[in-house]
Amino acid sequence: MTKTSNYTAKSPGPDGFIVYSDDENAIWSQLINRQLSCIQGKACDEYLAGLVKLQLPTDRIPQLAEINDVLMQETGWRVARVPALISFDRFFSLLANKQFPVATFIRTWDELDYLQEPDIFHEIFGHCPLLTNPAFAQFTHLYGQLGYKASKQDRVYLARLYWFTVEFGLLHLQNEWRIYGGGVLSSPGETQYAIDSEKPERKPFDILEVLRTPYRIDIMQPIYFYLECVEQLYDICHLDIMSYVTKAKAMGLLPAKYPPKVPQQAC
């Protein structure tokens, strides 16, 4: 969240309406129609129920007010327009106030399949359907509250909790795998890989192990942690999460499940 973005978020006009180009709406249409097909039989029921409630348009980028109308009614959440990248203080502050940050730009055709920084498709399609779910909404709210008060060092550990739940969490339901993490649900490649591939390791959620597990943002995940149901997020909320952060810091990180990143050579 601290690097320079290659994108610029769009601002609304005096009427509060954000104007997107035909090309940008076409990119949204391509992304959402492709992903709606990809997640069939793979997304969890709670996410699919959220999609029904949101009724996301498939021919244009939705306005944030359309999302807010549904989220406010369901869980008291709303989305907040932000620049392409924001500080950790701002990120945690928004979540602590039941506002989910959404950068109002969409990726280009050149980066259709993978984008390191979250765009409006990732945030709206990946995360907002589950923000209609009380358990997911409560967990995300508590996470924001904890992160806002945490030290810089503690936030590094908390980031792993977010990564392996909100972004890349899986469910294991009656011998079937389902996805609830937005980082998976918004990516066709990761959706297929997380559910169908034999390569990644899938482990039951253990908060201490999660806090100690390194990750990289630029590769398919070598490990996923799963819950038995979305309501298990309520149980996590009742844990003394910061005491586990303290234990994780004392124990140190587990060995990485991926090779070290090779620095790019200058031409």
Side-chain angles (χ1 to χ4, degrees):
M1 285 194 218
T2 57
K3 68 170 187 172
T4 301
S5 172
N6 294 323
Y7 291 91
T8 301
K10 287 179 171 283
S11 299
D15 58 357
F17 191 85
I18 298 176
V19 177
Y20 294 98
S21 69
D22 290 344
D23 195 52
E24 288 168 325
N25 284 320
I27 291 171
W28 170 274
S29 181
Q30 170 81 356
L31 289 168
I32 192 170
N33 283 297
R34 180 178 67 173
Q35 199 60 11
L36 283 171
S37 175
C38 189
I39 64 173
Q40 294 304 311
K42 295 179 172 62
C44 68
D45 289 344
E46 292 82 357
Y47 173 85
L48 295 175
L51 273 182
V52 172
K53 292 173 182 177
L54 287 175
Q55 290 293 296
L56 297 175
T58 58
D59 60 341
R60 61 173 176 84
I61 299 172
Q63 296 294 312
L64 300 191
E66 297 175 89
I67 308 300
N68 287 338
D69 286 344
V70 178
L71 294 185
M72 287 293 293
Q73 179 178 338
E74 295 294 328
T75 57
W77 274 74
R78 61 188 300 271
V79 291
R81 183 179 62 86
V82 299
L85 297 169
I86 59 175
S87 69
F88 284 108
D89 279 343
R90 178 66 173 151
F91 174 72
F92 286 117
S93 176
L94 286 170
L95 296 186
N97 287 283
K98 296 186 177 181
Q99 298 180 59
F100 199 84
V102 173
T104 49
F105 74 89
I106 195 162
R107 68 196 69 181
T108 62
W109 291 107
D110 291 340
E111 295 189 290
L112 198 68
D113 292 330
Y114 177 73
L115 186 70
Q116 286 197 22
E117 54 192 283
D119 68 347
I120 194 167
F121 178 75
H122 169 83
E123 304 291 27
I124 296 295
F125 185 86
H127 293 301
C128 286
L130 264 175
L131 281 172
T132 66
N133 177 269
F136 185 87
Q138 180 176 321
F139 174 78
T140 310
H141 184 213
L142 176 63
Y143 180 83
Q145 292 174 312
L146 294 176
Y148 186 68
K149 298 176 182 177
S151 67
K152 183 177 180 180
Q153 185 182 17
D154 288 349
R155 286 176 175 179
V156 175
Y157 282 81
L158 284 174
R160 299 186 187 101
L161 176 61
Y162 191 88
W163 186 261
F164 289 114
T165 54
V166 175
E167 291 291 356
F168 288 89
L170 299 183
L171 301 180
H172 193 225
L173 308 172
Q174 299 178 342
N175 297 319
E176 290 186 334
W177 296 105
R178 291 291 184 268
I179 306 163
Y180 75 94
V184 186
L185 288 165
S186 59
S187 166
E190 195 98 27
T191 295
Q192 297 287 343
Y193 176 81
I195 298 298
D196 297 330
S197 175
E198 297 181 359
K199 292 182 180 180
E201 186 177 0
R202 304 174 185 90
K203 304 187 69 174
F205 180 90
D206 177 278
I207 189 167
L208 195 56
E209 186 172 356
V210 165
L211 293 170
R212 299 176 61 213
T213 299
Y215 66 86
R216 271 177 55 180
I217 67 171
D218 59 339
I219 59 173
M220 294 291 186
Q221 298 305 299
I223 182 169
Y224 299 93
F225 290 92
Y226 64 85
L227 305 177
E228 298 296 336
C229 61
V230 170
E231 285 71 24
Q232 194 177 337
L233 291 170
Y234 280 133
D235 298 332
I236 300 174
C237 288
H238 291 139
L239 298 174
D240 185 352
I241 293 175
M242 297 312 296
S243 72
Y244 282 100
V245 170
T246 300
K247 292 177 184 177
K249 288 194 298 182
M251 297 174 72
L253 294 182
L254 294 166
K257 300 282 187 178
Y258 50 80
K261 187 174 182 178
V262 179
Q264 293 183 347
Q265 298 295 324
C267 296

